[in-house]
Amino acid sequence: MADITRRLGWRHLRGAPTAHIRHHRGTRLLHDGPGLSFWFRALTAAISEVPVDDRELAMTFHARTSDFQDVAVQATVTYRISDPAVAAARLDFSIDPDSGAWRAAPLEQLGTLLTETAQQHALDVLSRTPLSAALVDGVAAVRERIAQGLAGEPRLPATGIEVVAVRVVALRPEPEVERALRTPAREQIQQEADRATYERRAVAVERERAIAENELASQIELARREEQLVDQRGTNARREAEEHAAADAVRAEAEAARTVRLAEAEATRSVRLAKAEAEGAREVGEARAKAQAAWLRVHGDVDVATLHALTGTRLAENLPRIDSVTVSPDVLTGLLARLGAREQE
């Protein structure tokens, strides 16, 4: 939309680079071109603004295939106005001199023209195509047919329209039909997924079996080696027991021999000691006998009083210690009498 400012009775228009401005005063063309800027009088000016940039027109319409199935077609047509003078002559692109807005809706008319033309060619190709083929190759076929139809449509060049590109975004059946068509594919995909899952499980089971077999083989080998180890340990234990027994036998024999030698030595020593003790006892007896005989001979020659004195002396030697002795007069008198009698004798 053009930018228009007002100054007293004059108007100033400043156009965009993508807008082609045509300014008429009566039958005279005063300004013609894109991105213009000029002053004009509102009462005598007739101004048209034709966009010359590329425009996108999105369209959605329904069609029916050869097997009587409804499909929705979503397409986009890119177009431009290549001849602004022709377009301004065929469609109303005039603007309000005060606001700069279009008085009519020229772009809607262009959109209706393009949509109906594209829909006509799309219906033509889809009406001869079954639904399954339309879903597989229908997008390309519809796009080519719409592009060819718009390129060969005489009304578009006559209106100054140039089609730049045609794109078909989607071609979809009704929701119920789409779900029905998706079911076999989903089932097939699910079957493939299940098969892949089963294959993975089979591979996992095979790997687990291989692992279990390896573990079992390892356990068997370990058990065999343990058996060999037990046998070797038993052999070692028997050998060690035999060696211990042999060593114990040797020690026992040596101990027995030593004990015998000690016993023999002890017996010899005991015999010798006994002989020595007997010899000593004999000699002591003989000495005692000789001493006794000598003692008897000596005492046989001694008088009775001397023997009594010796006996008293011997008794005194064998008596216990006497701290004090009390002699009564009677005893003392008797002893003195006896002594005096002996002296007299």
mmCIF file of all heavy atoms in Angstrom, residues 182-198:
data_model
loop_
_atom_site.group_PDB
_atom_site.id
_atom_site.type_symbol
_atom_site.label_atom_id
_atom_site.label_comp_id
_atom_site.label_asym_id
_atom_site.label_seq_id
_atom_site.Cartn_x
_atom_site.Cartn_y
_atom_site.Cartn_z
ATOM 1 N N ARG A 182 -3.550 -47.185 5.981
ATOM 2 C CA ARG A 182 -2.385 -47.271 6.859
ATOM 3 C C ARG A 182 -2.296 -48.613 7.581
ATOM 4 O O ARG A 182 -1.205 -49.032 7.960
ATOM 5 C CB ARG A 182 -2.433 -46.156 7.904
ATOM 6 C CG ARG A 182 -2.100 -44.774 7.355
ATOM 7 C CD ARG A 182 -2.206 -43.747 8.453
ATOM 8 N NE ARG A 182 -1.861 -42.415 7.976
ATOM 9 C CZ ARG A 182 -1.921 -41.314 8.739
ATOM 10 N NH1 ARG A 182 -2.335 -41.416 10.003
ATOM 11 N NH2 ARG A 182 -1.589 -40.145 8.232
ATOM 12 N N THR A 183 -3.467 -49.263 7.742
ATOM 13 C CA THR A 183 -3.478 -50.492 8.544
ATOM 14 C C THR A 183 -2.559 -51.569 7.978
ATOM 15 O O THR A 183 -1.739 -52.142 8.715
ATOM 16 C CB THR A 183 -4.915 -51.014 8.670
ATOM 17 O OG1 THR A 183 -5.710 -50.009 9.314
ATOM 18 C CG2 THR A 183 -4.948 -52.295 9.478
ATOM 19 N N PRO A 184 -2.664 -51.924 6.645
ATOM 20 C CA PRO A 184 -1.735 -52.962 6.143
ATOM 21 C C PRO A 184 -0.274 -52.562 6.269
ATOM 22 O O PRO A 184 0.576 -53.390 6.636
ATOM 23 C CB PRO A 184 -2.149 -53.118 4.676
ATOM 24 C CG PRO A 184 -3.540 -52.595 4.593
ATOM 25 C CD PRO A 184 -3.608 -51.497 5.591
ATOM 26 N N ALA A 185 -0.003 -51.287 5.978
ATOM 27 C CA ALA A 185 1.389 -50.845 6.103
ATOM 28 C C ALA A 185 1.854 -50.927 7.545
ATOM 29 O O ALA A 185 2.968 -51.360 7.845
ATOM 30 C CB ALA A 185 1.537 -49.414 5.572
ATOM 31 N N ARG A 186 0.969 -50.515 8.453
ATOM 32 C CA ARG A 186 1.334 -50.607 9.867
ATOM 33 C C ARG A 186 1.532 -52.049 10.294
ATOM 34 O O ARG A 186 2.468 -52.366 11.040
ATOM 35 C CB ARG A 186 0.253 -49.950 10.727
ATOM 36 C CG ARG A 186 0.246 -48.428 10.656
ATOM 37 C CD ARG A 186 -0.788 -47.848 11.578
ATOM 38 N NE ARG A 186 -0.765 -46.406 11.579
ATOM 39 C CZ ARG A 186 -1.587 -45.635 12.295
ATOM 40 N NH1 ARG A 186 -2.512 -46.211 13.060
ATOM 41 N NH2 ARG A 186 -1.493 -44.316 12.254
ATOM 42 N N GLU A 187 0.622 -52.912 9.800
ATOM 43 C CA GLU A 187 0.769 -54.331 10.155
ATOM 44 C C GLU A 187 2.071 -54.901 9.591
ATOM 45 O O GLU A 187 2.772 -55.670 10.276
ATOM 46 C CB GLU A 187 -0.423 -55.120 9.633
ATOM 47 C CG GLU A 187 -1.723 -54.802 10.358
ATOM 48 C CD GLU A 187 -2.900 -55.584 9.822
ATOM 49 O OE1 GLU A 187 -2.703 -56.276 8.779
ATOM 50 O OE2 GLU A 187 -3.986 -55.507 10.398
ATOM 51 N N GLN A 188 2.368 -54.518 8.340
ATOM 52 C CA GLN A 188 3.619 -54.998 7.757
ATOM 53 C C GLN A 188 4.824 -54.474 8.524
ATOM 54 O O GLN A 188 5.770 -55.212 8.801
ATOM 55 C CB GLN A 188 3.696 -54.564 6.292
ATOM 56 C CG GLN A 188 4.943 -55.093 5.571
ATOM 57 C CD GLN A 188 4.954 -54.690 4.114
ATOM 58 O OE1 GLN A 188 4.027 -54.010 3.644
ATOM 59 N NE2 GLN A 188 5.986 -55.091 3.398
ATOM 60 N N ILE A 189 4.758 -53.170 8.861
ATOM 61 C CA ILE A 189 5.854 -52.594 9.649
ATOM 62 C C ILE A 189 5.962 -53.272 11.005
ATOM 63 O O ILE A 189 7.059 -53.578 11.486
ATOM 64 C CB ILE A 189 5.648 -51.075 9.802
ATOM 65 C CG1 ILE A 189 5.761 -50.381 8.433
ATOM 66 C CG2 ILE A 189 6.650 -50.495 10.784
ATOM 67 C CD1 ILE A 189 5.398 -48.909 8.468
ATOM 68 N N GLN A 190 4.765 -53.550 11.603
ATOM 69 C CA GLN A 190 4.774 -54.223 12.898
ATOM 70 C C GLN A 190 5.337 -55.636 12.775
ATOM 71 O O GLN A 190 6.084 -56.098 13.644
ATOM 72 C CB GLN A 190 3.355 -54.256 13.474
ATOM 73 C CG GLN A 190 3.275 -54.801 14.885
ATOM 74 C CD GLN A 190 4.013 -53.941 15.874
ATOM 75 O OE1 GLN A 190 3.989 -52.724 15.768
ATOM 76 N NE2 GLN A 190 4.671 -54.564 16.841
ATOM 77 N N GLN A 191 4.946 -56.318 11.655
ATOM 78 C CA GLN A 191 5.491 -57.663 11.434
ATOM 79 C C GLN A 191 7.000 -57.626 11.263
ATOM 80 O O GLN A 191 7.725 -58.467 11.810
ATOM 81 C CB GLN A 191 4.826 -58.282 10.207
ATOM 82 C CG GLN A 191 3.353 -58.641 10.410
ATOM 83 C CD GLN A 191 2.716 -59.163 9.141
ATOM 84 O OE1 GLN A 191 3.381 -59.267 8.109
ATOM 85 N NE2 GLN A 191 1.428 -59.481 9.206
ATOM 86 N N GLU A 192 7.457 -56.644 10.480
ATOM 87 C CA GLU A 192 8.903 -56.516 10.313
ATOM 88 C C GLU A 192 9.584 -56.193 11.640
ATOM 89 O O GLU A 192 10.664 -56.726 11.948
ATOM 90 C CB GLU A 192 9.212 -55.428 9.280
ATOM 91 C CG GLU A 192 8.767 -55.797 7.870
ATOM 92 C CD GLU A 192 9.044 -54.680 6.879
ATOM 93 O OE1 GLU A 192 9.508 -53.612 7.333
ATOM 94 O OE2 GLU A 192 8.793 -54.874 5.673
ATOM 95 N N ALA A 193 8.917 -55.313 12.414
ATOM 96 C CA ALA A 193 9.494 -54.997 13.724
ATOM 97 C C ALA A 193 9.504 -56.223 14.623
ATOM 98 O O ALA A 193 10.485 -56.479 15.333
ATOM 99 C CB ALA A 193 8.704 -53.860 14.383
ATOM 100 N N ASP A 194 8.380 -57.007 14.584
ATOM 101 C CA ASP A 194 8.340 -58.234 15.388
ATOM 102 C C ASP A 194 9.403 -59.226 14.923
ATOM 103 O O ASP A 194 10.060 -59.877 15.748
ATOM 104 C CB ASP A 194 6.949 -58.859 15.298
ATOM 105 C CG ASP A 194 5.890 -57.995 15.955
ATOM 106 O OD1 ASP A 194 6.258 -57.140 16.780
ATOM 107 O OD2 ASP A 194 4.695 -58.171 15.630
ATOM 108 N N ARG A 195 9.528 -59.350 13.575
ATOM 109 C CA ARG A 195 10.542 -60.258 13.057
ATOM 110 C C ARG A 195 11.944 -59.811 13.485
ATOM 111 O O ARG A 195 12.778 -60.640 13.885
ATOM 112 C CB ARG A 195 10.446 -60.327 11.535
ATOM 113 C CG ARG A 195 11.421 -61.349 10.934
ATOM 114 C CD ARG A 195 11.179 -61.559 9.464
ATOM 115 N NE ARG A 195 11.336 -60.353 8.691
ATOM 116 C CZ ARG A 195 10.338 -59.646 8.170
ATOM 117 N NH1 ARG A 195 9.084 -60.038 8.357
ATOM 118 N NH2 ARG A 195 10.557 -58.553 7.466
ATOM 119 N N ALA A 196 12.167 -58.497 13.402
ATOM 120 C CA ALA A 196 13.468 -57.996 13.858
ATOM 121 C C ALA A 196 13.664 -58.262 15.350
ATOM 122 O O ALA A 196 14.753 -58.628 15.791
ATOM 123 C CB ALA A 196 13.588 -56.497 13.556
ATOM 124 N N THR A 197 12.543 -58.090 16.111
ATOM 125 C CA THR A 197 12.640 -58.360 17.550
ATOM 126 C C THR A 197 12.933 -59.829 17.803
ATOM 127 O O THR A 197 13.789 -60.180 18.644
ATOM 128 C CB THR A 197 11.333 -57.951 18.242
ATOM 129 O OG1 THR A 197 11.088 -56.556 17.996
ATOM 130 C CG2 THR A 197 11.426 -58.194 19.741
ATOM 131 N N TYR A 198 12.206 -60.710 17.069
ATOM 132 C CA TYR A 198 12.446 -62.147 17.232
ATOM 133 C C TYR A 198 13.874 -62.513 16.828
ATOM 134 O O TYR A 198 14.521 -63.352 17.486
ATOM 135 C CB TYR A 198 11.444 -62.928 16.395
ATOM 136 C CG TYR A 198 10.020 -62.760 16.855
ATOM 137 C CD1 TYR A 198 8.957 -62.845 15.954
ATOM 138 C CD2 TYR A 198 9.727 -62.487 18.196
ATOM 139 C CE1 TYR A 198 7.648 -62.671 16.373
ATOM 140 C CE2 TYR A 198 8.417 -62.311 18.615
ATOM 141 C CZ TYR A 198 7.380 -62.398 17.704
ATOM 142 O OH TYR A 198 6.092 -62.224 18.124
#
